Amino acid sequence: AVVSGTAQSQTVPAVEQSKPGLLRSTRSGREAGVDEWLPRPDTTTTPLSSIDLPSVHRVASTTGEAAATYPVSWNQEQLLNAHITDGVAAARHIQLVVWVAGQLSTDALRSAITALTHRHAILRTTYEQSDDGSFVQRVQSQATDDVLPREVSASSASDAEAVASAEASREFDLLSVGGSVMRSMLVRTEAKGDRDLLVISVHRVAMDGGSMALLLDELGALYQTEVEHESTPMLKELPFQYVDYAQWQHDALGSAALEAQRKYWQTALR
């Protein structure tokens, strides 16, 4: 299979197909812990080296059992503000386009995508704007139906790519009730010898370009678990979720240590 991009896409590693309908990344396969990619302030230089910042810890029920709301990260706040002021532009979401050769199991794909949204709470998180204009996020127990692949037909590979291009221009309505941050589509080609096209779109409020490679890796692993009927999950449970990092950001910002840093830089940059 070959991974290709659109105007809204990010480059991701090519994938190979070791078995019919199986997607497997050609990357090293090393599983990175969440603590490796959660952004943390650089505390190796003066004056940050003397700061005692709070640690990242679980703050939310990622199963959606609690109806509590949590703050969004600074980057999410910028994207949500742009969503309101500039409109729901396709340029703010990322599209992954994967050609799949061989027989792809729709049931296994649906189960794998569902498992992926259970693994990453941010893929089933909704966003709201409070009366004071600030944004909050709420982890739902399940993702919306949009995440499951909608099947369409195309007469040829070129027609399938045209369908994927049209999908890239579809908007995400983040702040509507039940607004989704992810959707998927499977384009079945009718011509003999052609392949199927898997299209996954994710809004940048939930994922950046570099994370799409991780998404593809994990989707392939979860799909393999489904088609081979394995009882033991191939992926370890994540110690943190993005909502935990967003809460950590706000805790750090409100700490006395960060206030001291603000005063330091105000003086240093005069």
Side-chain angles (χ1 to χ4, degrees):
V2 177
V3 177
S4 59
T6 69
Q8 286 77 35
S9 299
Q10 298 288 330
T11 301
V12 298
V15 295
E16 60 185 9
Q17 198 159 348
S18 57
K19 296 182 181 180
L22 275 187
L23 298 177
R24 185 164 294 163
S25 172
T26 57
R27 300 196 318 171
S28 64
R30 184 182 69 84
E31 184 172 322
V34 174
D35 56 341
E36 295 183 44
W37 52 262
L38 277 179
R40 292 297 300 265
D42 181 4
T43 59
T44 61
T45 57
T46 303
L48 289 177
S49 58
S50 61
I51 295 181
D52 183 18
L53 291 172
S55 300
V56 179
H57 60 279
R58 280 287 179 95
V59 297
S61 168
T62 56
T63 62
E65 296 174 355
T69 58
Y70 300 91
V72 299
S73 71
W74 303 330
N75 184 56
Q76 287 177 317
E77 184 177 19
Q78 292 177 335
L79 288 166
L80 290 168
N81 274 317
H83 177 83
I84 292 175
T85 59
D86 300 338
V88 281
R92 294 198 184 91
H93 66 262
I94 308 164
Q95 188 182 63
L96 177 68
V97 181
V98 185
W99 279 108
V100 183
Q103 186 62 40
L104 182 69
S105 169
T106 303
D107 289 342
L109 179 62
R110 291 171 66 92
S111 295
I113 290 177
T114 299
L116 189 70
T117 63
H118 281 293
R119 176 172 171 79
H120 295 282
I122 198 168
L123 297 179
R124 50 186 165 85
T125 295
T126 57
Y127 301 89
E128 305 166 19
Q129 188 172 28
S130 304
D131 293 338
D132 61 1
S134 62
F135 299 100
V136 294
Q137 57 183 315
R138 191 190 301 270
V139 179
Q140 305 295 336
S141 59
Q142 295 181 343
T144 64
D145 290 340
D146 287 343
V147 305
L148 298 177
R150 175 173 57 96
E151 288 197 48
V152 299
S153 298
S155 59
S156 64
S158 59
D159 286 344
E161 290 176 349
V163 171
S165 179
E167 175 69 7
S169 64
R170 285 184 60 204
E171 303 168 345
F172 281 97
D173 193 0
L174 296 179
L175 297 175
S176 65
V177 177
S180 177
V181 297
M182 173 182 169
R183 59 176 179 259
S184 63
M185 179 173 64
L186 184 62
V187 187
R188 299 282 195 182
T189 53
E190 300 170 355
K192 184 178 180 180
D194 277 340
R195 302 156 294 173
D196 296 329
L197 194 62
L198 175 62
V199 182
I200 298 177
S201 303
V202 184
H203 197 280
R204 291 180 184 273
V205 76
M207 186 170 292
D208 59 18
S211 300
M212 289 298 275
L214 177 64
L215 180 147
L216 181 59
D217 277 352
E218 295 191 351
L219 181 60
L222 293 168
Y223 180 85
Q224 183 178 351
T225 299
E226 292 296 329
V227 297
E228 297 185 354
H229 305 290
E230 297 178 359
S231 57
T232 304
M234 298 181 65
L235 302 173
K236 297 178 181 179
E237 182 181 358
L238 299 175
F240 303 110
Q241 296 286 338
Y242 191 83
V243 64
D244 303 319
Y245 165 68
Q247 184 65 62
W248 171 85
Q249 257 194 352
H250 283 260
D251 291 344
L253 180 64
S255 68
L258 261 291
E259 177 61 21
Q261 288 305 300
R262 185 183 68 82
K263 293 180 179 179
Y264 171 88
W265 286 109
Q266 282 181 331
T267 302
L269 296 175
R270 283 179 181 171

